[in-house]
Amino acid sequence: MKTGVSYKQEPVTGQYDAIIIGSGMGALTTAALLSKQGKKVLVLERHYTAGGFTHMFKRNDYEWDVGVHYVGEVMDKRTALAIMFDYITDGKLEWADMGEVYDRIIFGDKEYQLVKGKERLRQQLKDYFPAPADQTAIDQYFALLDASAKSAQGFFMDKALPKLVSGLIGGFMKRPFYKFSDKTTLQTLQEITQNKELIGLLTSQYGDYGMEPSRGSFSIHAMVAKHYLKGGAYPVGGCTSIAACIEPIIEKAGGKIYTNAEVAEILVKDNKAIGVKMKDGKEIHAPMVISSAGVHNTFERLLPLEVATKNGLLSTIANVKPSAAHISLYIGLKHTAEELNLPKANYWIYPSYDHDENMRRFLADDSAPFPVVYISFPSAKDPDFGNRYPGKATIEIITFAPFEKFAQWDGTRWKKRGEDYEAYKENIAQKLLQHLYEREPQVKDKIDFYELSTPLSTKHFVNYQHGEIYGLEHTPERFRLKNLRPQTPIKNLYLTGQDIVTVGIGGALFSGVLTASAIMGKNLLGDIIKKGREAAAH
C-alpha cells in the first residue's frame, strides 16, 4: 500500500502553508493536525513510500513491517493515544488485539509471560517471585511507574509553551520529572531490590528503547513499561495503514505527500526559515518549515553550518550519541500462520539475566551470544494478512548490532556490498534462525525466503548516519537538553519526531501533537482528548 506521489514524476506546484521534511509518525501527526486546523501542508519524503518507520516493504511476494511490531494503549478507547489515533485518521485505522499474553521472556530454559492488565501482571510477577521481599519490590515498582508517568505530563507540556513562558514556569513543571529521568533504570531498581533475576525480568523490554539498564534513563523505561500494561495491538492491514489513513486528511485540506523527494538544505534568510532546497536544486518556499528528519540530520546536515553554529545548535547535541543500531531477519513461509501455529506474542530471548553484561560480552566478541533476540510474528498479529497474501506467513527476528561492526562496508552500494559482506550476513542469519527453531521447531524446513538487513540498510533507507533506529540515546543527559522541543532559535523552523519526545510510535505521535500545538498556540491535545472522551461516554 504505497502512499504519496513521486516527486520525480509529478512536480510540486502551488503554495503551501508549511513544509514538513520526512513522513514518519511525528511528521504525519503534525501534518494531520495542521490540516485539520485549515493549513495546507507539503510533506517531502526521500524514500519511495511514506511512513518512516511505520512503512512496510515487499520482497518475493511477502511483506514486512520495519519498525512497528506492537503498540500499547490503543485497545482502550479512553486512552489519550487511542483518541489521538482516531482523530488523526478520522477513525479509519483499526487495531487487532494480540491477546492475553503479548510478550514471552526467555532466560535460558525459563519462560516468563507478560499478561495484559496492570493488576493481572502484578499478580503474575508475584507468582514468579513469591518471596516477601520480592513481593514488596514489585509493589514499589508499579508505584514508581505511576509516579514517573504522572511527572512526565508537566515535562512534555512545557515543550509546547512559548520560550518566554517556559522560562518563567518551565522549571517548576519539569522538576518532578527530573527526579526519575536523572537516574538510570538500574540505579532506580537497585533501590528497591537486589534480586538480579527480578531486575532482569522487569527490564526485559529494554530492546523497545534500545538502552541497557545501567545506561538508560528510568523515565524512558517507565514510559515503555507502562505503555504495554493494557496489552499489545497491531494495525489491521499492516503498518502502512497508518499513513494510508492519514494521507486523505492532508489532501482534503489541499496538502500533499511527495515521495522520492529528498531535501538537501533548509533555506534560512535573516535567521528565518523560508523554505527548502531539493536535491535536484529546486527551491520550494513556504512560511514555515518543520523537520522530522532527526535533530542530528537537521542541525548537522540540513541547516547551513554558519546558521547552526550561530544558534548554538551543534553544541546542544554534541554530547548525546545516536541510539542503538539493529539487524533484522525477514522471513517468508509458504504456509499460513494458522497452519504453522505461530503465536501472536513476541519472544524476548536472553543469554542471562544481566543485560549489561550480555551487551558487554557481545560488543567485545563477535562469537558471544546475542545480547537479546526478539522474534515477532506479524502475519499472526494482522487478521487481514491472509487476504493480502493467501497461503503465506512472515516472521521477523531482530537483535542489536553496532554500526562499527559494518563500518568497513560503509560507502558501498545497497545490494552490491560484496561477497564478504554477504557471507558475514549469512553467518548472522543462521545464528538467528537457530533461536527461532528452538522456540518454533515446526517452521524448520518450511522457510521459503529470508533476507537480513543491517545498520547500513537503515542508513540507506532512513538516512540515519549510524544506522540508529531510535534517534538519540535515551540517557539521563538527553532529557536535560534544552533544544529538544518543537521551537528552534530559527524563526519559523520547527522540529517534530521521536527526538523531541521519546522513542516509539506513541512518542512520535505526541511529538506531532506538541509541534502542532506550539505552531497554532493551542492546547490541541487537551481539546481533542476532552472531545474524544465525551464521544466515548455517549
Side-chain angles (χ1 to χ4, degrees):
M1 193 189 304
K2 268 181 127 177
T3 45
V5 297
S6 175
Y7 172 78
K8 294 179 179 178
Q9 296 170 357
E10 183 180 320
V12 175
T13 57
Q15 299 294 314
Y16 292 89
D17 297 311
I19 294 171
I20 300 182
I21 304 169
S23 68
M25 193 69 245
L28 292 174
T29 301
T30 306
L33 292 173
L34 292 180
S35 297
K36 289 201 168 202
Q37 294 289 316
K39 300 293 184 183
K40 187 177 176 182
V41 182
L42 174 65
V43 179
L44 300 173
E45 169 57 56
R46 69 186 288 276
H47 198 16
Y48 63 77
T49 186
F53 279 115
T54 70
H55 86 271
M56 302 180 81
F57 78 97
K58 295 180 181 179
R59 195 87 77 239
N60 283 37
D61 295 321
Y62 294 98
E63 179 184 70
W64 299 269
D65 54 60
V66 298
V68 179
H69 302 111
Y70 62 147
V71 178
E73 299 184 354
V74 291
M75 297 308 295
D76 182 348
K77 292 300 182 182
R78 299 165 299 177
T79 66
L81 189 60
I83 291 169
M84 287 307 309
F85 263 119
D86 274 350
Y87 185 77
I88 63 172
T89 65
D90 278 346
K92 300 283 196 322
L93 183 63
E94 297 179 71
W95 298 92
D97 195 328
M98 287 174 59
E100 295 304 304
V101 177
Y102 53 92
D103 276 336
R104 296 159 80 175
I105 315 300
I106 312 295
F107 294 101
D109 58 0
K110 188 76 180 284
E111 177 177 319
Y112 302 88
Q113 296 185 345
L114 301 189
V115 296
K116 73 175 179 180
K118 178 180 174 181
E119 294 310 317
R120 291 189 64 225
L121 179 60
R122 186 201 302 261
Q123 188 55 53
Q124 180 85 300
L125 293 173
K126 288 184 175 183
D127 290 344
Y128 291 138
F129 294 91
D134 293 336
Q135 306 254 315
T136 300
I138 289 166
D139 285 333
Q140 291 176 311
Y141 172 73
F142 279 94
L144 284 169
L145 295 186
D146 289 338
S148 180
K150 186 176 181 181
S151 75
Q153 295 174 11
F155 177 82
F156 290 116
M157 283 174 60
D158 167 71
K159 289 178 179 284
L161 296 177
K163 284 202 170 181
L164 182 61
V165 179
S166 174
L168 293 173
I169 64 173
F172 173 76
M173 295 175 70
K174 293 182 287 188
R175 194 174 301 122
F177 180 77
Y178 290 141
K179 174 184 173 184
F180 300 97
S181 67
D182 282 348
K183 292 182 180 179
T184 68
T185 305
L186 187 60
Q187 285 173 329
T188 302
L189 294 187
Q190 284 180 337
E191 291 175 0
I192 62 172
T193 181
Q194 293 301 307
N195 186 330
K196 293 182 178 180
E197 292 186 4
L198 178 56
I199 291 175
L201 179 57
L202 294 178
T203 56
S204 59
Q205 294 169 309
Y206 85 87
D208 280 330
Y209 49 92
M211 296 208 74
E212 314 92 283
S214 72
R215 298 197 311 118
S217 167
F218 178 73
S219 289
I220 184 60
H221 169 83
M223 282 182 259
V224 169
K226 193 168 175 59
H227 176 72
Y228 289 111
L229 290 181
K230 294 177 183 288
Y234 192 81
V236 176
C239 302
T240 48
S241 299
I242 298 171
C245 290
I246 294 175
E247 185 174 29
I249 293 168
I250 297 169
E251 293 180 338
K252 185 178 178 181
K256 208 155 196 175
I257 299 175
Y258 277 85
T259 57
N260 296 304
E262 183 168 358
V263 173
E265 183 182 330
I266 297 170
L267 299 173
V268 179
K269 183 178 181 181
D270 299 327
N271 214 47
K272 184 194 319 186
I274 60 171
V276 298
K277 179 187 282 187
M278 306 300 288
K279 188 179 179 181
D280 64 5
K282 178 181 174 66
E283 293 188 0
I284 306 172
H285 295 98
M288 77 178 76
V289 176
I290 304 156
S291 178
S292 183
V295 292
H296 275 292
N297 278 337
T298 303
F299 295 167
E300 296 174 347
R301 303 179 68 220
L302 293 176
L303 281 173
L305 178 60
E306 64 273 16
V307 173
T309 304
K310 171 188 169 186
N311 287 282
L313 297 176
L314 299 181
S315 59
T316 297
I317 57 173
N319 296 321
V320 179
K321 298 176 183 177
S323 64
H326 76 300
I327 50 181
S328 184
L329 185 63
Y330 301 100
I331 300 168
L333 307 99
K334 284 188 175 177
H335 295 76
T336 67
E338 292 77 16
E339 289 170 345
L340 293 169
N341 197 30
L342 297 181
K344 294 180 182 179
N346 312 300
Y347 284 113
W348 295 90
I349 305 168
Y350 298 98
S352 81
Y353 289 89
D354 190 335
H355 301 303
D356 288 279
E357 181 58 28
N358 293 339
M359 184 67 78
R360 280 191 289 269
R361 280 200 307 263
F362 176 69
L363 293 178
D365 182 2
D366 260 9
S367 66
F370 295 117
V372 55
V373 174
Y374 171 84
I375 307 179
S376 172
F377 305 89
S379 59
K381 301 175 191 178
D382 179 8
D384 186 61
F385 186 90
N387 297 325
R388 304 192 312 277
Y389 299 95
K392 296 184 177 180
T394 55
I395 301 172
E396 296 170 17
I397 313 178
I398 301 170
T399 190
F400 291 123
F403 186 82
E404 291 72 26
K405 288 183 182 283
F406 298 86
Q408 63 181 296
W409 297 287
D410 191 18
T412 58
R413 291 177 60 193
W414 180 60
K415 288 288 187 184
K416 295 183 178 179
R417 303 196 195 277
E419 292 182 6
D420 51 348
Y421 175 75
E422 295 301 328
Y424 188 58
K425 287 206 311 178
E426 179 62 19
N427 181 51
I428 295 171
Q430 290 302 322
K431 289 181 180 179
L432 292 174
L433 285 170
Q434 289 307 311
H435 284 283
L436 173 64
Y437 299 152
E438 287 174 13
R439 298 295 147 196
E440 301 292 334
Q442 74 277 16
V443 306
K444 195 170 185 179
D445 303 324
K446 302 288 196 307
I447 292 175
D448 175 52
F449 173 85
Y450 64 86
E451 179 177 319
L452 188 86
S453 74
T454 73
L456 298 180
S457 313
T458 306
K459 179 178 178 178
H460 174 77
F461 287 110
V462 189
N463 210 25
Y464 279 152
Q465 294 311 294
H466 296 90
E468 62 268 31
I469 188 173
Y470 294 143
L472 298 174
E473 281 191 330
H474 289 69
T475 58
E477 293 77 18
R478 175 236 174 91
F479 290 105
R480 287 279 184 172
L481 293 181
K482 293 181 179 179
N483 278 326
L484 296 188
R485 55 190 300 120
Q487 309 92 334
T488 73
I490 300 160
K491 190 175 181 182
N492 299 339
L493 174 63
Y494 295 87
L495 303 176
T496 194
Q498 62 182 353
D499 281 352
I500 68 164
V501 180
T502 63
V503 65
I505 192 169
L509 183 148
F510 283 113
S511 77
V513 178
L514 292 180
T515 301
S517 296
I519 290 169
M520 299 305 301
K522 299 179 181 179
N523 179 8
L524 294 178
L525 178 63
D527 293 344
I528 295 166
I529 298 304
K530 181 181 177 183
K531 291 176 183 176
R533 285 182 177 155
E534 286 173 353
H538 291 94

